[in-house]
C-alpha cells in the first residue's frame, strides 16, 4: 500500500511517498534518503521500500530540492534546504506514527552526508534513531569537484555546472562553499552501520576507514566486488540483509572489515 503527499514548510515543498504493509502491522518507521542526482523512485529507494514493508515497517521516501518530482528548482538546491527537507519529513513521519519509537534511516551517498550534517537535530526529536549509511560521501566537497574534474579555483571561475542526472540540475559554487563549511569527518553520537562497496570509484576507501576509526561503536562492512551503486549480482541482497539486521538488532553477524 503506497500513497503520495506533498509536505510544505515555509518555502519548502517536499514530495513524499509512504509505503506500509497491507496487514497494518508496524514496528518501525524507515526513512529512505536518496543520493546526489537520485530520487525517491530510483532503484535503491524503491527497492528499500518494497523490502522494508515486508518487515513490519512504514517507509517514507522523498525528493530533495531539484531532484525527482520536487517542484523546487535549481536555485532552491542548497545544503540548508536539503537538511530542512530531511527534518520536515522526519517530523511528519513522527506525527503520523507517534506510537513507533524507532526511526530507522537508510541514507546513501550525498543523502548520507546530509543525514550526518542533520544528525544532532534528528536526535533531538522524540524517539530513537538507528542509522545505516551506504557509500557515504564523507568528504562531499572533494567528491563534488572530482565528479567534474575541477579544482576549487576553476569551479569558482565557472560559478556553476550542470549535473547530468535523470533530472539534470545546476550546482553553484555557493553550494560547494556550504559543503566546505560542514565537515562530517567527526565522531557521531550514535553507532551506525557503514556499508561500502569494495570497488567504489567515487568514495575513497581511506576516508571510509578514517570515519570508522572515529566512530568506534559503529560497524563497517565492505561488500566484496561492489561498485558505488551496488548493481553487481548479490550486492543489493546483501545490503538489504545487513540493513534488516541493523534495524532489528543494531548489530550484524559479519566481522567488521576495515
Amino acid at each position: 500500500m503506497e500513497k503520495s503527499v506533498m509536505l510544505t514548510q515555509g518555502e519548502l515543498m517536499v514530495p513524499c511517498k509512504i509505503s506500509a504493509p497491507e496487514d497494518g502491522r508496524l514496528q518501525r518507521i524507515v526513512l529512505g534518503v536518496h543520493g546526489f542526482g537520485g530520487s525517491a523512485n530510483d532503484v535503491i529507494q524503491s527497492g528499500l521500500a518494497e523490502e522494508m514493508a515486508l518487515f513490519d515497517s512504514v517507509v517514507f521516501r522523498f525528493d530533495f530540492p531539484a531532484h525527482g518530482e520536487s517542484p523546487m528548482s535549481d536555485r532552491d538546491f542548497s545544503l540548508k534546504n536539503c537538511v530542512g527537507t530531511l527534518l520536515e519529513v522526519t517530523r511528519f513521519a513522527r506525527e503520523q506514527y507517534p506510537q513507533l519509537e524507532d526511526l530507522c534511516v537508510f541514507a546513501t551517498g550525498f543523502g548520507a552526508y546530509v543525514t550526518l550534517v542533520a544528525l544532532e537535530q534528528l536526535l533531538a526529536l522524540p524517539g530513537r534513531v538507528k542509522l545505516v549509511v551506504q557509500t557515504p560521501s564523507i568528504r562531499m566537497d572533494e567528491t563534488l569537484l572530482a565528479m567534474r574534474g575541477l579544482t576549487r579555483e576553476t569551479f569558482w571561475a565557472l560559478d556553476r555546472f550542470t549535473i547530468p542526472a535523470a533530472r539534470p540540475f545546476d550546482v553553484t559554487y555557493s553550494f560547494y562553499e556550504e559543503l566546505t563549511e560542514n565537515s562530517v569527518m567527526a565522531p557521531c553520537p550514535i553507532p551506525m552501520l557503514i556499508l561500502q562497496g569494495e570497488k567504489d570509484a567515487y568514495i575513497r576507501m581511506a576516508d571510509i576507514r578514517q570515519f570508522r576509526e572515529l566512530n568506534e561503536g559503529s560497524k563497517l562492512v565492505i561488500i566484496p566486488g561492489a561498485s558505488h551503486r551496488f548493481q553487481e549480482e548479490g550486492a543489493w541482497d546483501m545490503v538489504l540483509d545487513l540493513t534488516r539486521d541493523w534495524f532489528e538488532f543494531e548489530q550484524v553477524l559479519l566481522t567488521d572489515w576495515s
Side-chain angles (χ1 to χ4, degrees), residues 46-63:
S46 57
L48 175 77
E50 181 178 351
E51 184 73 12
M52 292 296 113
L54 296 175
F55 291 88
D56 300 337
S57 306
V58 55
V59 183
F60 289 74
R61 61 194 205 276
F62 60 92
D63 291 321

Side-chain angles (χ1 to χ4, degrees), residues 61-82:
R61 61 194 205 276
F62 60 92
D63 291 321
F64 283 129
H67 286 66
E69 299 173 2
S70 171
M72 302 179 73
S73 67
D74 298 13
R75 67 177 180 272
D76 302 309
F77 181 64
S78 66
L79 179 58
K80 178 182 177 181
N81 281 345
C82 289

Side-chain angles (χ1 to χ4, degrees), residues 53-173:
L54 296 175
F55 291 88
D56 300 337
S57 306
V58 55
V59 183
F60 289 74
R61 61 194 205 276
F62 60 92
D63 291 321
F64 283 129
H67 286 66
E69 299 173 2
S70 171
M72 302 179 73
S73 67
D74 298 13
R75 67 177 180 272
D76 302 309
F77 181 64
S78 66
L79 179 58
K80 178 182 177 181
N81 281 345
C82 289
V83 168
T85 295
L86 173 63
L87 294 173
E88 180 57 27
V89 175
T90 302
R91 293 189 190 100
F92 176 71
R94 288 294 198 192
E95 289 169 0
Q96 297 301 301
Y97 296 92
Q99 77 279 16
L100 300 179
E101 181 181 5
D102 285 349
L103 175 76
C104 299
V105 182
F106 179 91
T108 185
F110 171 69
Y113 169 80
V114 173
T115 302
L116 293 170
V117 171
L119 190 54
E120 288 192 5
Q121 296 175 78
L122 285 175
L123 294 175
L125 298 174
R128 178 173 54 190
V129 175
K130 296 181 179 180
L131 178 59
V132 175
V133 290
Q134 178 192 14
T135 61
S137 298
I138 301 301
R139 299 189 188 274
M140 188 62 206
D141 53 341
E142 296 180 6
T143 300
L144 184 64
L145 295 179
M147 287 173 63
R148 298 306 299 269
L150 297 174
T151 65
R152 183 169 186 161
E153 291 72 24
T154 54
F155 191 9
W156 178 84
L158 289 171
D159 184 58
R160 68 183 61 232
F161 63 82
T162 301
I163 297 293
R167 174 184 169 180
F169 61 102
D170 282 352
V171 174
T172 63
Y173 185 78

Side-chain angles (χ1 to χ4, degrees), residues 112-240:
Y113 169 80
V114 173
T115 302
L116 293 170
V117 171
L119 190 54
E120 288 192 5
Q121 296 175 78
L122 285 175
L123 294 175
L125 298 174
R128 178 173 54 190
V129 175
K130 296 181 179 180
L131 178 59
V132 175
V133 290
Q134 178 192 14
T135 61
S137 298
I138 301 301
R139 299 189 188 274
M140 188 62 206
D141 53 341
E142 296 180 6
T143 300
L144 184 64
L145 295 179
M147 287 173 63
R148 298 306 299 269
L150 297 174
T151 65
R152 183 169 186 161
E153 291 72 24
T154 54
F155 191 9
W156 178 84
L158 289 171
D159 184 58
R160 68 183 61 232
F161 63 82
T162 301
I163 297 293
R167 174 184 169 180
F169 61 102
D170 282 352
V171 174
T172 63
Y173 185 78
S174 62
F175 171 74
Y176 170 75
E177 287 185 316
E178 285 186 286
L179 300 179
T180 63
E181 294 166 0
N182 289 273
S183 173
V184 297
M185 185 62 82
C188 295
I190 60 170
M192 71 193 75
L193 174 62
I194 307 163
L195 301 176
Q196 180 63 25
E198 180 186 24
K199 297 183 178 180
D200 191 326
Y202 295 98
I203 311 300
R204 294 184 304 193
M205 192 65 72
D207 291 340
I208 295 296
R209 288 179 172 143
Q210 182 182 355
F211 183 68
R212 166 63 181 83
E213 289 171 3
L214 290 169
N215 291 277
E216 295 183 359
S218 296
K219 189 85 168 180
L220 168 62
V221 178
I222 300 173
I223 310 298
S227 60
H228 186 68
R229 301 189 184 280
F230 285 67
Q231 295 174 323
E232 292 73 20
E233 183 177 358
W236 179 239
D237 289 338
M238 189 173 181
V239 167
L240 289 175

